[in-house]
Amino acid sequence: MRYFKMNGCGNDFVIIDARSRGSLPLSRAQARAIADRGAGLGCDQVIAVERSIRGDAYMRIWNADGGEVDACGNATRCVAWLLMEEGGAVSRRIETPAGMLYAERAGERRITVDMGSPLLRWEEIPLARAMDTVRLDYAVGGLEAPGAVNMGNPHVVFFVEDLGATPVETLGPQVERDPLFPQGVNVGFAEVRSPEQIRLRVWERGAGLTKACGTGACAAVVAAHRQGRTGRKVEVLVDGGSLEIEWRAGDDRVLMTGPIELEATGELPAG
C-alpha cells in the first residue's frame, strides 16, 4: 500500500491509503512500529484512509504509542488535501470515529476543516466527577482552573503567564494520566498574547509533546473564549507554525485553517 509522509505545522503523520483493501486493521504493535522514529517511518500519528459509504473516505488514527483515537485535526487537513488533489475537488467529506468532518481549500496547500461543535459538559469530556468545565476545580504545579473541552477527543487547557517558563514536559504526562480524566487527556498550555492571538504547546495523549495539535488549538480557543480571555476568531501560534481558529457564534461550529506539507511518498513494506 502507498503511504504519504505529511505534516500540518510540524505535527507529522504516516498516511496509508488502504482504500484498495477496504480497511486497515493495524494492531497496537504495528502502529507503534510504523511511528517509531528510529526503526520505523517515524511520526506522531499513523493514519489509515479507508473506504466510506457516507463520505469520500474514512480516517482511522493511531497515536505513536499504538493506541487508537477518534480525532486529529491536522491529519484531517492532510487527508483532505490528498483527496482533493486526486479528484481536482475544492471540498471533501471525511468520516472519522468522532463524526463526519467537512474540509475545503483555503489557498495553496491550505485547508479549512469544520471540526464540529465542542462538547462541554463534564460527562462529555469525560471527567471522573461532576465539575464546571469553564474552570475546573483542579490544580497542578502551581497552575489552576483550566478549561476542559472535547473536540472529538478530551482536552484540558491551562492558561499561563509565560509559556517559555512552563515545564510542559513535566506537567503534561502528570495531567494526562490523572484519575480525573478516565480516558486520559490532551494537555494544553496557552499564553494569551492578545484577544486575537494565543501561543500554545500541547502534550498529546499517547504521543507526547508535538509541534502542533489541531484539536488542541480548537480546544484552546473555545476554553479561552469561555473564560473571557479572547474573542471567537484567534490565531494560535504553535511550535511548527500557526493555525487560524474560529468558533462561530451562529451555529457553534469550530473552523480550523492551516497549512499542509507533503514530505515524501513510498510503499509500505509487507509485515
Side-chain angles (χ1 to χ4, degrees), residues 43-84:
C43 60
D44 295 323
Q45 282 89 20
V46 177
I47 310 296
V49 181
E50 304 178 341
R51 293 177 189 166
S52 171
I53 297 175
R54 298 175 54 229
D56 294 296
Y58 186 88
M59 186 175 83
R60 292 179 68 190
I61 308 141
W62 293 265
N63 278 332
D65 68 352
E68 194 166 354
V69 294
D70 290 344
C72 182
N74 285 319
T76 302
R77 291 190 296 103
C78 289
V79 170
W81 182 84
L82 287 172
L83 295 173
M84 291 177 199

Side-chain angles (χ1 to χ4, degrees), residues 49-159:
V49 181
E50 304 178 341
R51 293 177 189 166
S52 171
I53 297 175
R54 298 175 54 229
D56 294 296
Y58 186 88
M59 186 175 83
R60 292 179 68 190
I61 308 141
W62 293 265
N63 278 332
D65 68 352
E68 194 166 354
V69 294
D70 290 344
C72 182
N74 285 319
T76 302
R77 291 190 296 103
C78 289
V79 170
W81 182 84
L82 287 172
L83 295 173
M84 291 177 199
E85 285 295 292
E86 70 180 20
V90 296
S91 65
R92 280 290 184 252
R93 299 195 315 156
I94 300 173
E95 187 178 0
T96 75
M100 189 72 73
L101 300 179
Y102 301 86
E104 60 183 26
R105 290 187 186 272
E108 182 66 25
R109 297 202 175 196
R110 287 182 63 81
I111 299 293
T112 296
V113 177
D114 180 343
M115 297 294 293
S117 298
L119 302 178
L120 302 172
R121 297 197 301 269
W122 71 270
E123 65 271 23
E124 294 174 324
I125 302 302
L127 303 176
R129 59 185 183 275
M131 199 178 294
D132 178 8
T133 63
V134 176
R135 291 180 173 84
L136 297 185
D137 181 16
Y138 179 78
V140 63
L143 304 179
E144 59 183 9
V149 182
N150 188 310
M151 286 301 313
N153 47 28
H155 288 268
V156 62
V157 184
F158 292 92
F159 294 96

Side-chain angles (χ1 to χ4, degrees), residues 10-267:
N11 183 193
D12 63 346
F13 317 101
V14 171
I15 301 172
I16 303 166
D17 186 354
R19 288 173 293 173
S20 62
R21 64 166 60 188
S23 64
L24 183 65
L26 287 181
S27 68
R28 177 182 285 267
Q30 287 173 318
R32 192 165 55 241
I34 293 169
D36 189 295
R37 294 191 185 275
L41 294 171
C43 60
D44 295 323
Q45 282 89 20
V46 177
I47 310 296
V49 181
E50 304 178 341
R51 293 177 189 166
S52 171
I53 297 175
R54 298 175 54 229
D56 294 296
Y58 186 88
M59 186 175 83
R60 292 179 68 190
I61 308 141
W62 293 265
N63 278 332
D65 68 352
E68 194 166 354
V69 294
D70 290 344
C72 182
N74 285 319
T76 302
R77 291 190 296 103
C78 289
V79 170
W81 182 84
L82 287 172
L83 295 173
M84 291 177 199
E85 285 295 292
E86 70 180 20
V90 296
S91 65
R92 280 290 184 252
R93 299 195 315 156
I94 300 173
E95 187 178 0
T96 75
M100 189 72 73
L101 300 179
Y102 301 86
E104 60 183 26
R105 290 187 186 272
E108 182 66 25
R109 297 202 175 196
R110 287 182 63 81
I111 299 293
T112 296
V113 177
D114 180 343
M115 297 294 293
S117 298
L119 302 178
L120 302 172
R121 297 197 301 269
W122 71 270
E123 65 271 23
E124 294 174 324
I125 302 302
L127 303 176
R129 59 185 183 275
M131 199 178 294
D132 178 8
T133 63
V134 176
R135 291 180 173 84
L136 297 185
D137 181 16
Y138 179 78
V140 63
L143 304 179
E144 59 183 9
V149 182
N150 188 310
M151 286 301 313
N153 47 28
H155 288 268
V156 62
V157 184
F158 292 92
F159 294 96
V160 303
E161 292 297 322
D162 183 357
L163 186 57
T166 302
V168 173
E169 294 180 80
T170 300
L171 297 179
Q174 183 179 339
V175 177
E176 176 193 0
R177 297 186 291 266
D178 192 286
L180 178 61
F181 309 101
Q183 296 180 9
V185 71
N186 298 281
V187 190
F189 300 86
E191 177 186 323
V192 177
R193 296 185 171 178
S194 77
E196 295 80 35
Q197 189 181 80
I198 288 173
R199 174 73 172 96
L200 177 71
R201 302 188 82 193
V202 179
W203 179 271
E204 291 198 51
R205 176 186 61 169
L209 183 63
T210 58
K211 291 184 179 179
C213 177
T215 57
C218 295
V221 172
V222 171
H225 184 74
R226 294 181 82 207
Q227 291 192 7
R229 299 174 184 270
T230 67
R232 287 180 171 267
K233 191 171 184 178
V234 180
E235 179 188 21
V236 180
L237 305 176
V238 295
D239 287 352
S242 71
L243 295 164
E244 297 171 13
I245 309 297
E246 181 180 6
W247 183 19
R248 293 194 303 212
D251 58 8
D252 196 44
R253 314 288 287 188
V254 180
L255 303 184
M256 175 183 60
T257 301
I260 65 91
E261 182 179 358
L262 176 63
E263 300 177 16
T265 63
E267 294 291 325

